[in-house]
Amino acid sequence: MAMPPPLFAAASLLLPSPTIHSSTGSRRPFRLPLRSSRRPPVAAAAASGVPDEWGDRSPSAPEPPSQPDPPIDDDEWGRDDPSASGNSRPVPVTDEWGEPGVPEPQSTSAADPPTNDDEWGGDPAPPPPPPPAPEEDNEEERREELKRCLVDTVYGSDLGFRASSEVRGEVLELVTQLEATNPTPEPVQATHLLAGNWILIYTAYSELLPILAVGAAPLFKVDEISQEIDTNSMTIVNASTISSPFASFSFSATASFDVQSPSRIEVQFKEGSFQPPKISSSVDLPAEVDIFGQKISLGPVQQVLNPLQQAFASIAGSISGQPPLKLPIPGNNRARSWLLTTYLDKDLRISRGDGGLFILVKEGSPLLDQL
């Protein structure tokens, strides 16, 4: 016979609750969890993805409203934008180690180059020429020093006639160094430098030895041997002057030349000329002369010539107006020669011919003051 429901419910309350042994050995009562009478709607639980303590879906807690992002400081120095707020203060700048640093100042841009804005629209002024290179300055100084040494070496050698073997060796060494630094690689083409009157200061030309020997004789002196070059008429005039206490004698040879290369010319002599001697109005003899190593006094000779001064003056007046004597030179191989210019500048010229070496200084050059 079935028990009435109330009695069954009361009996179930009087029955002991089953116990569950835990791993620790204690016993704890087992109770069925009571379901809450307040269950969320099924639709709301399904919409949320969060399970509750019973395994059902419950709506998640509402998220707080999102806040706007703080303003970003875009200043490269780490300072606040002064336009953002009126009371902003600069943010200190730190280096890569975290130490406070000083902002690097910005460099100012260079000024633009000046432009030509004149009303005529002319071209801008050209830039100044660059300064000469130090190498060029050093080479020019070296050439000037070599030229001074060369002039000092040939001084007192009577154009090379009295030069010793040591002096000739030094001259050749200096000439070789100058030729290696020749500033005019095409001397024949440099007509502005080649043209003019050149004074001979040293030579090793054998055909000039007779003239130099006369100049070495007592009471005679070679005043000058020169070479005048005219690049317009393509002519050369070699002239020599010998003086004595009684008179001076001048003679010359005229030649034409043809260009064979930028540094070589071929010379063809055409004519010789002898100027009338210039008789001295007075005879001034030296006190003594050196003849074969002996000093001879010329005082007695000077006393004999004193009464003849008037006669010398009359002879000089009659001869001075005479025209020069010109003689044609036969056109044979002896009248033909060649000349190679190995060094040329505004002061010095070095030439080599089929007869030897010639060193010449241009008329008016300061180098002549050293001789």
Side-chain angles (χ1 to χ4, degrees):
M1 180 175 186
M3 186 178 293
L7 295 177
F8 177 77
S12 62
L13 294 175
L14 295 176
L15 292 176
S17 300
T19 60
I20 297 175
H21 295 270
S22 63
S23 59
T24 57
S26 61
R27 291 184 301 175
R28 58 183 178 90
F30 173 76
R31 293 183 178 87
L32 295 176
L34 299 179
R35 297 182 179 270
S36 175
S37 62
R38 295 177 297 176
R39 296 183 61 187
V42 176
S48 66
V50 182
D52 57 3
E53 58 183 346
W54 310 107
D56 297 330
R57 301 289 181 178
S58 63
S60 60
E63 296 182 358
S66 61
Q67 299 294 330
D69 295 335
I72 301 175
D73 184 12
D74 292 333
D75 189 358
E76 60 178 333
W77 306 113
R79 295 172 296 189
D80 294 338
D81 187 3
S83 61
S85 60
N87 57 354
S88 62
R89 60 183 183 86
V91 178
V93 180
T94 59
D95 58 10
E96 57 181 339
W97 308 109
E99 299 293 335
V102 179
E104 182 179 357
Q106 295 182 353
S107 60
T108 58
S109 60
D112 295 335
T115 57
N116 185 16
D117 294 334
D118 61 352
E119 56 182 338
W120 306 109
D123 297 332
E135 293 79 4
E136 296 179 0
D137 294 341
N138 295 336
E139 188 174 0
E140 179 65 24
E141 293 178 1
R142 182 171 178 268
R143 282 197 298 265
E144 293 297 325
E145 181 64 24
L146 288 174
K147 290 192 294 184
R148 288 191 294 266
C149 292
L150 180 61
V151 174
D152 291 340
T153 302
V154 303
Y155 175 78
S157 64
D158 288 343
L159 306 183
F161 181 76
R162 296 181 182 273
S164 62
S165 58
E166 290 80 8
V167 171
R168 293 181 183 274
E170 292 179 10
V171 170
L172 290 177
E173 178 65 25
L174 294 172
V175 166
T176 303
Q177 295 184 34
L178 282 170
E179 289 174 340
T181 61
N182 181 23
T184 311
E186 298 182 352
V188 177
Q189 307 298 332
T191 56
H192 64 290
L193 295 176
L194 187 62
N197 192 28
W198 296 89
I199 310 300
L200 183 70
I201 63 172
Y202 181 89
T203 184
Y205 186 37
S206 59
E207 294 188 8
L208 284 179
L209 291 180
I211 300 176
L212 299 179
V214 171
L219 303 180
F220 287 91
K221 177 184 178 183
V222 177
D223 288 340
E224 184 179 277
I225 297 179
S226 63
Q227 184 179 71
E228 186 175 0
I229 301 178
D230 189 345
T231 55
N232 295 325
S233 61
M234 305 288 286
T235 58
I236 294 177
V237 178
N238 295 335
S240 303
T241 302
I242 298 176
S243 63
S244 70
F246 310 97
S248 61
F249 307 90
S250 299
F251 50 93
S252 61
T254 303
S256 62
F257 68 90
D258 297 324
V259 177
Q260 300 294 320
S261 71
S263 59
R264 174 172 172 159
I265 61 175
E266 185 175 352
V267 181
Q268 175 66 54
F269 289 96
K270 301 292 186 180
E271 184 181 65
S273 176
F274 293 88
Q275 299 291 334
K278 295 181 179 181
I279 306 299
S280 301
S281 58
S282 61
V283 179
D284 295 326
L285 296 177
E288 59 183 14
V289 294
D290 187 359
I291 300 177
F292 302 110
Q294 295 182 359
K295 302 292 185 180
I296 299 176
S297 176
L298 297 180
V301 179
Q302 182 68 46
Q303 294 176 1
V304 173
L305 294 177
N306 285 335
L308 302 176
Q309 296 294 326
Q310 188 66 33
F312 280 111
S314 61
I315 295 173
S318 61
I319 296 179
S320 61
Q322 297 297 322
L325 177 62
K326 295 184 178 182
L327 299 174
I329 299 177
N332 50 27
N333 291 333
R334 286 185 60 86
R336 187 179 297 273
S337 179
W338 58 269
L339 195 65
L340 181 68
T341 301
T342 56
Y343 181 90
L344 178 66
D345 63 13
K346 61 183 180 63
D347 296 317
L348 186 69
R349 177 164 67 94
I350 300 175
S351 297
R352 296 178 182 270
D354 52 358
L357 174 68
F358 304 91
I359 302 176
L360 305 100
V361 175
K362 204 164 196 177
E363 187 177 22
S365 172
L367 294 176
L368 293 176
D369 299 336
Q370 298 179 231
L371 298 173

